[in-house]
Amino acid sequence: MANNPIKIKVENIYKVFGSDPAAVMESVKAGISKSELLEKNGHVIGVRDVSLDIPAGKTFVIMGLSGSGKSTLIRHFNRLIDPTAGRILVDGENVMDMSEAELRDFRRHKISMVFQRFALLPHKTVLENVVYGLLISGMTKAEAIEKGMQQIDLVGLSGFEHRYPNQLSGGMQQRVGLARALATDAEILLMDEAFSALDPLIRNDMQDQLKELQSRLQKTIVFITHDLDEALRIGDNIAILKDGELRQVGTASDILLNPADDYIERFVRDVNRARIVTVGFVAEAAASLPLSDVSESRCVSLLKDNSAIIVTKDGQAKKIINRDTLARNGFQGLMSNGTELQDLICINQDATLEESFSLLGSSNGIAVVTDNKTHPVGVITSEAVLNAMAGK
């Protein structure tokens, strides 16, 4: 998250439903329970003191079970719902301060929404559904059709542009909704339980397509789901809500290996960590030492404070030195035993633990972890992988 600017900043959002929310806010801020507030005052807590930083160009998943407040929260972002207290900042601008005209422009050009039930116009074709918003916003028909066809092609529906919604499968209908949202060129895409009405196999296909689209488009996507597997599969970052309160925010790896409380721990207990946790998350930091600077005294010194040394040449990893290999082979024997890349295993930091199994098995239990430019960022050991799978 540190590498991406904050696109949406959620600051201390409260939403209380009822006849006089302001009258009960003191009790809500003091911690009254959801059930007690309903019983005593007839008001319902939708969201309680939620703050989030949502980075640009990432898929941010907000998840929770029914009644957790996730759909209520996302509707604050485009002001379908106004908060009882708190602020929503998009690119530093407070959405609550927008006039009606500014809000209309914001919804048309800055932020789009994909709904659970598709929300397609049944009497219009695929193309007509996709370009409907463009025509309303004043775009010429020729421009709208050109843009609409681009989005239809992007979501894999070329050849279906003249079909009607009832002639399409559920997954294809949802692709139409996605194409319609993308056609506005909005920087932010809100997806509220967008795939939950689909059959499991179609749902998996849509998740894959969303990931593929996101890799190309780099939109800021806020995705709402009640499905933990879906959240872990598509989310760069995940926020988990319960009863309107934020319980934890983090990457999938962080949430699986460092649950914030008993609720989160129970929530993730049965997840196959090996398929979700990344190698980079469990990698150990290592000192990097150019081949030209390698000496026995330098290695001994570095290994006092580091678990391993990655010997590099032209920025690429060539050899791993740790206390065990140094003690077993001696410095001269270790360095004479080749320094070329083929003598060690490198694993990308984004690979899952499951994907690292066979590689670690052929590398004497230790491998270099690299970034996407193949530069070394640390080391990973079989022991670290086993500990992560055990939840340690």
Side-chain angles (χ1 to χ4, degrees):
M1 290 179 68
N3 295 329
N4 293 69
I6 301 304
K7 190 70 173 178
I8 304 173
K9 193 172 187 65
V10 180
E11 293 186 341
N12 307 110
I13 288 292
Y14 289 82
K15 181 60 184 178
V16 178
F17 296 97
S19 57
D20 190 6
V24 301
M25 277 301 293
E26 186 176 340
S27 296
V28 172
K29 290 184 176 181
I32 189 171
S33 70
K34 197 171 183 177
S35 57
E36 187 178 1
L37 183 71
L38 179 61
E39 183 179 344
K40 288 185 175 180
N41 304 96
H43 287 65
V44 175
I45 300 172
V47 178
R48 191 200 313 251
D49 195 21
V50 171
S51 295
L52 292 170
D53 286 341
I54 298 177
K58 297 290 185 180
T59 300
F60 193 102
V61 176
I62 301 173
M63 73 152 301
L65 303 179
S66 179
S68 64
K70 57 190 185 298
S71 292
T72 298
L73 179 61
I74 197 177
R75 281 166 166 72
H76 286 82
F77 297 173
N78 57 359
R79 274 189 64 186
L80 293 179
I81 294 177
D82 283 344
T84 308
R87 301 195 308 166
I88 303 287
L89 304 177
V90 176
D91 288 332
E93 183 180 4
N94 188 356
V95 178
M96 305 307 143
D97 292 339
M98 291 181 179
S99 65
E100 288 189 16
E102 289 171 333
L103 188 57
R104 277 197 302 272
D105 186 70
F106 175 72
R107 289 171 176 167
R108 285 176 179 173
H109 303 293
K110 189 91 167 184
I111 194 165
S112 289
M113 196 162 192
V114 181
F115 298 92
Q116 177 180 354
R117 292 290 174 181
F118 317 140
L120 302 180
L121 300 171
H123 60 289
K124 292 186 179 293
T125 65
V126 167
L127 179 58
E128 289 169 339
N129 268 281
V130 171
V131 304
Y132 183 71
L134 301 179
L135 295 173
I136 286 179
S137 67
M139 186 178 289
T140 67
K141 186 174 182 180
E143 289 175 323
I145 288 175
E146 181 181 0
K147 194 167 193 61
M149 286 302 299
Q150 290 173 356
Q151 305 311 315
I152 288 170
D153 180 60
L154 190 64
V155 301
L157 286 179
S158 293
F160 293 88
E161 57 269 18
H162 300 303
R163 301 283 184 92
Y164 288 88
N166 64 2
Q167 297 175 306
L168 305 177
S169 67
M172 295 170 77
Q173 290 182 49
Q174 192 57 288
R175 291 186 195 191
V176 178
L178 185 56
R180 180 178 57 192
L182 293 173
T184 64
D185 280 335
E187 300 165 24
I188 301 167
L189 194 59
L190 306 180
M191 304 186 71
D192 188 11
E193 296 273 12
F195 303 153
S196 63
L198 303 175
D199 292 336
L201 290 178
I202 298 174
R203 186 173 187 172
N204 286 342
D205 289 342
M206 287 301 299
Q207 291 165 2
D208 288 340
Q209 179 154 40
L210 181 65
K211 289 169 65 177
E212 194 276 328
L213 283 172
Q214 176 66 331
S215 69
R216 287 191 278 162
L217 301 177
Q218 299 293 293
K219 299 280 188 181
T220 301
I221 299 176
V222 183
F223 193 100
I224 300 296
T225 183
H226 63 273
D227 187 313
L228 179 62
D229 289 335
E230 184 168 64
L232 295 172
R233 189 176 187 197
I234 67 174
D236 295 306
N237 296 93
I238 301 167
I240 300 179
L241 301 183
K242 181 178 185 290
D243 294 333
E245 298 179 9
L246 182 64
R247 303 302 286 263
Q248 186 168 2
V249 183
T251 64
S253 295
D254 189 35
I255 288 171
L256 287 176
L257 295 186
N258 301 308
D261 55 31
D262 290 344
Y263 175 75
I264 304 295
E265 189 171 0
R266 291 196 304 273
F267 217 84
V268 304
R269 182 174 295 158
D270 296 326
V271 174
N272 183 345
R273 293 175 175 84
R275 293 184 177 179
I276 303 296
V277 177
T278 62
V279 166
F281 191 81
V282 300
E284 301 173 17
S288 183
L289 188 64
L291 181 59
S292 58
D293 294 341
V294 173
S295 68
E296 185 170 6
S297 60
R298 184 75 173 125
C299 290
V300 170
S301 176
L302 286 172
L303 286 174
K304 290 179 180 178
D305 300 313
N306 298 277
S307 62
I309 299 167
I310 301 173
V311 178
T312 64
K313 184 178 181 181
D314 299 327
Q316 303 297 305
K318 297 299 180 182
K319 182 176 286 294
I320 300 172
I321 299 174
N322 60 19
R323 297 181 187 92
D324 288 341
T325 57
L326 189 59
R328 188 166 59 247
N329 299 285
F331 179 75
Q332 295 301 328
L334 190 63
M335 295 311 296
S336 65
N337 186 25
T339 57
E340 293 308 307
L341 190 61
Q342 60 264 31
D343 290 330
L344 83 167
I345 299 296
C346 293
I347 304 175
N348 186 278
Q349 62 186 358
D350 295 328
T352 64
L353 299 185
E354 186 174 70
E355 292 167 338
S356 76
F357 289 165
S358 60
L359 292 171
L360 278 170
S362 61
S363 66
N364 296 317
I366 187 168
V368 174
V369 178
T370 62
D371 63 16
N372 291 323
K373 296 181 179 179
T374 70
H375 296 150
V377 295
V379 297
I380 188 168
T381 63
S382 299
E383 182 181 7
V385 170
L386 293 172
N387 284 336
M389 290 177 59
K392 298 179 183 178

